[in-house]
């Protein structure tokens, strides 16, 4: 692992990109495009903050997340790879894959001609990943920050055999009051409820969340808009390379059982996730790659 001094020397960009050690001991990169700020932990390639100029924070972070290795960070954008949900092999393997529990390296940073600040983090197959998943791969997360935040996960099959994976950019959007939001963009779409194989169809133009919800919308490629009346703003998640959108909020009872969600924290977020799962699980032949991306913005 590189020290923050080494990272600064090799990848720092004056006034735009700095590295520091977070109070929990993890390295965090701070991006500033002049139009927005964002932070990403190298542990898990975990985006923890996105704040467009003049706006409040867009991503929710739990006050109770521990920032300790071996435990996923709660909030922001956890990166689920190479499986989404429960492991299909060993039941003691981590839920949502191992990528969010590993240190990622930095491979490049740039200040682009259009003023965007970019950082690419990477994770490659190693003895540690082979223990969980016997495949040769390289995963890269490229974050580009202008006035919006673009996050793109590229997975490359670097081996000689085919591989299959599922993934998600598991975004926790910060909302003023869960009960006062209306989610647009899911109407006319089939969905599964977590743990069930029964399909449902959403007819309502807007989804309100007045109960625990864990849905996987399938064949869904369009943008999702979160209208938040209490914060007087609309958040937009527009994605590429993902045909499943997961919408999740645990509700009060389940959230009380999740030790790293602070009391009543469930009222402050909704997860809208760009996923590759169900029929959109990704198969890669040797040398092939796939990109899953989401652009997050505040509607003007
Ligand atoms: O994406 C929804 C989901 O799979 C839910 O079922 C819920 O468990 C959530 O992810 C959070 O998972 P985590 O492992 O981060 O607690």
């Amino acid at each position: 692992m590189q020290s923050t001094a080494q990272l600064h020397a090799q990848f720092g960009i004056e006034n735009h990109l700095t590295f520091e050690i977070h109070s929990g001991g993890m390295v965090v990169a701070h991006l500033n495009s002049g139009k927005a700020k964002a932070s990403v932990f190298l542990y898990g390639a975990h985006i923890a903050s996105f704040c467009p100029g003049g706006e409040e924070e867009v991503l929710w972070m739990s006050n109770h997340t521990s920032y300790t290795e071996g435990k996923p960070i709660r909030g922001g954008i956890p990166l689920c790879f190479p499986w989404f949900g429960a492991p299909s092999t060993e039941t003691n393997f981590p839920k949502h894959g191992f990528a969010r529990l590993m240190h990622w390296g930095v491979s490049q940073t740039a200040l682009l001609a259009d003023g965007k600040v970019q950082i690419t983090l990477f994770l490659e197959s190693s003895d540690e990943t082979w223990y969980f998943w016997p495949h040769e791969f390289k995963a890269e997360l490229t974050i580009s920050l202008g006035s919006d935040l673009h996050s793109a996960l590229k997975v490359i099959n670097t081996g000689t055999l085919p591989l299959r994976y599922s993934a998600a950019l598991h975004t926790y959007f910060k909302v003023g009051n869960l009960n006062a939001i209306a989610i647009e963009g899911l109407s006319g779409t089939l969905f599964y409820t977590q743990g069930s194989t029964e399909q449902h169809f959403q007819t309502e133009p807007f989804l309100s969340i007045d109960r625990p919800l864990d849905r996987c919308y399938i064949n869904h490629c369009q943008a999702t808009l979160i209208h938040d009346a209490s914060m007087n703003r609309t958040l937009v998640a527009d994605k590429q390379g993902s045909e499943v959108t997961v919408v999740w909020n645990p509700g009060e009872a389940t959230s009380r059982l999740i030790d790293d969600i602070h009391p009543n924290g469930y009222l402050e977020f909704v997860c809208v996730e760009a996923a590759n799962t169900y029929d959109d699980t990704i198969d890669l032949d040797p040398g092939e790659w796939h990109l899953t991306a989401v652009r997050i913005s505040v509607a003007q």
Side-chain angles (χ1 to χ4, degrees), residues 2 11 59 91 152 197 227 232 257 298:
Q2 287 173 291
F11 297 110
L59 302 177
T91 48
T197 52
H227 301 290
N232 196 23
L257 304 174
V298 181

Side-chain angles (χ1 to χ4, degrees), residues 74 84-85 95-96 100 170 172 194 214 246 248 258 273:
R74 175 73 63 190
F84 175 76
K95 185 177 164 197
H96 289 327
R100 63 179 180 164
H170 192 306
Y172 286 73
Q194 185 64 253
D214 195 349
V246 179
W248 177 65
I258 303 177
E273 311 164 28

Side-chain angles (χ1 to χ4, degrees), residues 24-36:
M26 294 173 175
V27 177
V28 60
H30 297 293
L31 285 69
N32 185 348
S33 66
K35 294 180 176 165

Side-chain angles (χ1 to χ4, degrees), residues 135-248:
H135 296 286
E136 298 284 350
F137 72 93
K138 182 169 187 181
E140 293 177 329
L141 185 78
T142 298
I143 299 156
S144 310
L145 181 74
S147 52
D148 52 20
L149 176 83
H150 188 261
S151 171
L153 172 68
K154 181 177 184 181
V155 177
I156 311 157
N157 181 349
T158 53
T160 53
L161 295 172
L163 65 77
R164 168 171 289 190
Y165 72 92
S166 56
L169 297 167
H170 192 306
T171 309
Y172 286 73
F173 287 96
K174 181 181 168 92
V175 298
N177 174 5
L178 182 73
N179 299 318
I181 65 169
I183 305 178
E184 185 182 356
L186 301 166
S187 184
T189 310
L190 288 168
F191 66 87
Y192 294 100
T193 294
Q194 185 64 253
S196 153
T197 52
E198 202 181 319
Q199 282 189 349
H200 305 268
F201 186 72
Q202 184 173 316
T203 49
E204 317 93 281
F206 296 98
L207 174 70
S208 316
I209 303 194
D210 50 7
R211 59 201 176 285
L213 200 99
D214 195 349
R215 293 181 176 181
C216 289
Y217 289 85
I218 58 170
N219 298 322
H220 183 259
C221 303
Q222 70 192 80
T224 306
L225 284 74
I226 303 164
H227 301 290
D228 182 354
S230 55
M231 286 183 86
N232 196 23
R233 69 180 184 181
T234 294
L235 305 178
V236 185
D238 199 2
K239 59 186 191 148
Q240 299 122 37
S242 150
E243 295 183 4
V244 172
T245 299
V246 179
V247 179
W248 177 65

Side-chain angles (χ1 to χ4, degrees), residues 38-54:
S39 302
V40 55
F41 284 86
L42 304 198
Y43 187 74
H46 193 119
I47 300 171
S49 167
F50 166 46
C51 200

